[in-house]
């Protein structure tokens, strides 16, 4: 048997990608339903493999190498497997992101241009230790007609291998090699070099990890580094609303990237607002760190310069008093991560200024930053959150795994007819037609 | 005076970009019209500076360092300057690519999400020796609200400096530093490193140069390497149409990326088709290179393996006989550059198979590859042609210099209301509204 290097696997995926792009919606849906059925049918096998990962993980936990949280994320159960199969079926039910005509234009009589949604091609993914991530990523790629290279965490290697084999067998009628598993850490670096074969990288993991990927490849990266989100309570805010939004943004679920990390409060309302909100935060166990102006009003720890650019991901919040809307915007521009910011104000003009001046993927008015999420945005299955500005920004649905190409239908048209002295003019009429 | 390093300039551009994003359509248009007026008013100054570049260029020509074509491209004239000013005015007349609501959705009562077109931010450009390129790129960036870093060819340094100063003075009412000129070659490498400040790179120049940029930065690149385009004459082709399309695709203007480089002919029509088309090509002075099967029918030079992957950009064409539509697709997949391919056939099924199976930015049916162009496609001002798949693909209009952000308008909405036992459902109704 010849060794399957990362390069061979990517080549196979490239070939498969061309075929995948020609599959119908039904064929891709059927593939997904087969995967779901196969997961249902192989609980025993999967749980057996998962047991090995969990046992190894617990040893590492005992040695202090892994955290309890990591081991918890590793563990599968029959009900977890049912929900994974359910997730795959729900991806199958998503509206087809392909075969859509994005624009159509009549260039001249019988010369019609169609801009058509197509898969990107080969998507390289490197993801965290949750074994359900492998299934989810493979499902999203198949739904959008992309071949996929899967590199999971080594902690989950037994689970990943079994899940991958189940997926492969369940999709034997699909183009061979559409999903590829790679396991060695050094293969990740090999992937980063393959800019002529891999069209998009989707890393998932810590900010440092995503940044490492971004900095070490010329392949486009759809990923998400940190979320340093802000809530700004304006002088014209309804303070009850401000309290609810600021509370929800931190407390409702602090471990995620769209939770608020710094609360900015206009000086004119600070004295009224801060005692109330900080009491609520304290009741919820939030550790507070304030600048001098905040600490004159409410006692708390001092926020250092570092606090303004820290993603706590926890029940910790930094608070600053600002003198103006402009100062709030400057603070966010200097320290933010361009993820999600919210202003609470009854003044629409000021809201608009805040939203236009900030270069963040999501800017909210009178709403919690926690709404920044593909499901809540109504994008359907969430592919990820992008902190990049190009191609896909903010919460990304299946659309983020597509690109487009141009189809031109002519009747023997040549450019020479449209140049020179007797040049025909172009019509350039927008059409409603589907290709 | 402190030295303005590339880094300082990019920082200034970053600050300007945030302000630029808040300008109205009118303000950006006015800026462009001021630039056009200023060019009209400063012919003498520009031509004087240009004279220096041309003189230096002619010396280099005498020393065999530059080509005549390069020196020709350098030279400006009063009529050339008029057409440059006209071009700037026409960019001002383009429909605003910003302030468009791309999608709107009601998440719940009084909770409305808007996906809004916004500028990308800071665009870094490195371009060829034509001094009009500087003006065109600055105009396209301003129209789309982007700050721009301009690095022109050193051959045009005097012209570029004067044109840049004229643009700067003409746009003094716009955010200071929105356009920045850099001149040193080493500053290009500095730009490539600034992935946290520059949002998009637009290199223009040779394939090698664009590839160098792509391979040496983690900043997204909108660029165009080579165009190895194909015309495939199917067995079901109307051969008169095929002859016209194949002739136009090569002869109408061979120096450009959308000209055909390899003609593929189905074996069943080769004997009838090749003598006629090759005679026409010969009359037009096209040098032909064929594979063995072609040379059995018409005498010509032998095409080597290298020919199939060469962008001639000249009156040279390679020709190959293929046994099937599948072989044509395989040839293009192996040797093409994913730019533009055309099939000539009367069989719609086969056309569709060709167009779906190829992973090229533009796939044509019964039309010359030369239509692959922003103007002909009706995209308005052409920003460039992208051989990348992400963000912008094929001919790119002003839209390629925009991204989007999400605006969410709420009324104190918090995520906690939509979770847990009494969770409210989301409405997720599509809206027609503009933000």
């Amino acid at each position: 048997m010849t060794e399957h290097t990362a390069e061979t696997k990517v080549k196979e995926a490239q070939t498969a990608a061309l075929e995948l792009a020609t599959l119908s919606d039904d064929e891709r849906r059927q593939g997904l339903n087969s995967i779901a059925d196969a997961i249902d049918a192989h609980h025993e096998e999967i749980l057996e493999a998962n047991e090995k990962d969990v046992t190894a993980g617990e040893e590492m936990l005992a040695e202090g190498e892994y955290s309890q949280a990591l081991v918890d994320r590793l563990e599968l159960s029959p009900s977890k497997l049912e929900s994974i199969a359910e997730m795959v079926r729900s991806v199958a039910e998503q509206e087809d992101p392909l075969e859509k005509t994005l624009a159509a234009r009549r260039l001249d009589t019988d010369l019609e241009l169609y801009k058509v949604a197509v898969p990107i091609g080969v998507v390289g993914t490197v993801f965290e230790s949750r074994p359900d991530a492998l299934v989810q990523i493979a499902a999203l790629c198949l739904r959008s007609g992309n071949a996929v290279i899967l590199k999971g965490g080594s902690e989950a290697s037994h689970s990943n291998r079994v899940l991958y084999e189940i997926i492969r067998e369940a999709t034997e009628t699909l183009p061979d090699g559409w999903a590829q598993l790679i396991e060695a850490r050094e293969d990740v670096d090999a992937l980063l070099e393959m800019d002529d074969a891999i069209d998009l990288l989707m890393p998932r993991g810590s900010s440092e990890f995503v940044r490492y990927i971004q900095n070490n490849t010329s392949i486009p990266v759809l990923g998400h580094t940190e979320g340093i989100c802000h809530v700004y309570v304006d002088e014209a805010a309804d303070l009850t609303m401000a309290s609810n939004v600021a509370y929800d943004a931190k407390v409702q679920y602090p471990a995620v990237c769209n939770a608020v990390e710094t609360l900015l409060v206009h000086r004119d309302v600070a004295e009224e607002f801060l005692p109330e909100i900080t009491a609520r935060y304290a009741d919820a166990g939030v550790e507070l760190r304030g600048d001098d102006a905040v600490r004159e009003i409410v006692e708390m720890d001092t926020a250092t310069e570092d606090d303004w650019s820290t993603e706590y991901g926890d029940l910790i919040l930094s608070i600053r008093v600002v003198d103006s809307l402009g100062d709030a915007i400057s603070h966010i521009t200097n320290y933010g991560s361009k993820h999600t910011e919210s202003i609470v104000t009854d003044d629409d003009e000021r809201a608009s200024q805040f939203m236009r001046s900030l270069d963040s993927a999501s800017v909210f008015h009178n709403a919690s930053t926690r709404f920044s999420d593909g499901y809540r945005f109504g994008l359907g299955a969430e592919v990820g959150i992008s902190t990049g500005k190009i191609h896909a920004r903010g919460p990304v649905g299946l659309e983020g795994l597509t690109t487009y190409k141009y189809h031109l239908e002519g009747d023997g048209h040549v450019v020479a007819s449209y140049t020179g002295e007797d040049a025909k003019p172009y019509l350039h009429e927008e059409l409603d037609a589907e290709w």
Side-chain angles (χ1 to χ4, degrees), chain A:
Chain A
M1 198 182 126
T2 58
E3 207 193 331
H4 258 45
T5 61
E7 207 153 325
T8 321
K9 291 178 180 179
V10 172
K11 276 226 169 342
E12 282 182 15
Q14 264 192 297
T15 307
L18 294 173
E19 283 183 68
L20 266 181
T22 67
L23 295 189
S24 69
D25 186 22
D26 266 358
E27 286 169 306
R28 284 176 277 117
R29 275 178 203 260
Q30 274 168 26
L32 288 164
N33 289 324
S34 301
I35 292 173
D37 293 346
I39 291 171
D40 284 341
H42 290 86
H43 276 204
E44 207 173 318
E45 225 177 310
I46 301 168
L47 293 173
E48 219 174 273
N50 183 248
E51 178 71 35
K52 290 185 198 159
D53 289 329
V54 173
T55 306
E58 278 165 349
E59 280 168 28
M60 297 294 270
L61 174 65
E63 289 168 24
E65 295 282 327
Y66 286 1
S67 67
Q68 182 65 50
L70 189 151
V71 177
D72 290 348
R73 281 199 300 272
L74 265 182
E75 189 158 6
L76 295 172
S77 64
S79 73
K80 193 93 189 266
L81 286 176
E82 272 168 38
S83 74
I84 292 175
E86 212 35 67
M87 176 272 294
V88 175
R89 288 194 183 93
S90 81
V91 170
E93 288 316 307
Q94 295 279 314
E95 193 196 339
D96 189 11
L98 307 178
E99 300 189 35
K100 275 183 190 167
T101 300
L102 307 172
R105 189 173 295 127
R106 179 175 291 121
L107 308 189
D108 195 3
T109 311
D110 290 331
L111 185 64
E112 292 178 1
L113 182 72
Y114 301 86
K115 185 177 179 181
V116 185
V118 296
I120 287 179
V122 178
V123 177
T125 64
V126 189
F127 49 92
E128 68 274 26
S129 50
R130 286 164 43 234
D132 45 333
L134 182 142
V135 183
Q136 192 207 9
I137 291 168
L140 293 168
C141 286
L142 178 54
R143 188 73 191 95
S144 51
N146 290 285
V148 61
I149 317 293
L150 301 156
K151 165 73 179 79
S154 58
E155 313 84 8
S157 60
H158 294 94
S159 316
N160 284 338
R161 221 170 291 152
V162 167
L163 287 167
Y164 171 72
E165 280 305 322
I166 287 170
I167 290 174
R168 218 180 46 76
E169 280 173 32
T171 56
E172 267 182 342
T173 60
L174 297 187
D176 200 30
W178 75 271
Q180 299 280 345
L181 183 70
I182 67 171
E183 303 196 62
R185 177 63 188 80
E186 55 268 31
D187 284 343
V188 173
D189 289 319
L191 292 186
L192 300 186
E193 298 290 321
M194 295 186 215
D195 53 0
D196 51 354
I198 297 177
D199 298 298
L200 183 72
L201 284 173
M202 284 209 301
R204 287 197 195 173
S206 68
S207 312
E208 294 71 36
F209 175 68
V210 174
R211 212 186 310 272
Y212 171 81
I213 299 278
Q214 285 171 340
N215 291 341
N216 286 283
T217 187
S218 54
I219 302 172
V221 176
L222 194 163
H224 143 251
T225 53
E226 67 238 310
I228 300 174
C229 302
H230 298 79
V231 171
Y232 165 59
V233 179
D234 186 47
E235 57 173 325
D238 169 334
L239 296 184
T240 308
M241 183 189 287
S243 172
N244 291 337
V245 166
Y247 184 84
D248 185 83
K250 181 81 240 179
V251 178
Q252 200 269 331
Y253 193 45
V256 286
C257 57
N258 57 19
V260 66
E261 307 296 1
T262 299
L263 175 66
L264 301 169
V265 181
H266 192 285
R267 187 172 296 279
D268 290 357
V269 294
E271 225 155 319
E272 188 181 346
F273 182 64
L274 284 173
E276 194 271 346
I277 185 67
T278 54
R280 281 185 79 185
Y281 280 139
D283 284 348
V286 180
E287 181 191 325
L288 300 173
R289 302 177 187 175
D291 74 346
D292 289 346
V294 171
R295 295 173 64 246
E296 274 175 27
I297 300 167
V298 181
E299 249 182 78
M300 61 180 70
D301 285 346
T302 306
T304 66
E305 183 69 11
D306 275 355
D307 278 300
W308 310 128
S309 44
T310 298
E311 180 177 21
Y312 304 114
D314 205 345
L315 286 176
I316 308 173
L317 182 78
S318 56
I319 312 183
R320 182 172 210 168
V321 166
V322 293
D323 289 331
S324 65
L325 173 60
D327 283 359
I329 292 169
S330 296
H331 177 98
I332 296 170
T333 300
N334 286 336
Y335 298 105
S337 65
K338 305 189 177 188
H339 190 299
T340 302
E341 334 295 347
S342 179
I343 180 173
V344 183
T345 186
D346 284 345
D347 184 328
D348 287 349
E349 267 301 304
R350 291 168 70 86
S352 171
Q353 196 186 332
F354 179 88
M355 293 163 98
R356 284 175 188 274
S357 301
L358 287 171
D359 182 28
S360 299
S362 298
V363 281
F364 294 177
H365 177 201
N366 293 343
S368 167
T369 55
R370 293 273 297 112
F371 283 105
S372 197
D373 165 279
Y375 166 68
R376 290 173 199 135
F377 274 12
L379 302 179
E382 184 174 280
V383 165
I385 288 195
S386 166
T387 42
K389 285 178 162 188
I390 301 295
H391 179 65
R393 197 175 188 203
V396 182
L398 279 169
E399 206 184 71
L401 293 179
T402 68
T403 180
Y404 58 85
K405 70 184 188 188
Y406 286 105
H407 287 224
L408 182 66
E409 282 286 345
D411 187 31
H413 291 72
V414 296
V415 162
S417 320
Y418 302 86
T419 53
E421 270 190 27
D422 297 324
K424 289 173 75 175
Y426 288 99
L427 293 179
H428 289 159
E429 295 168 358
E430 303 304 313
L431 299 173
D432 284 328
E434 293 284 316
W435 188 68

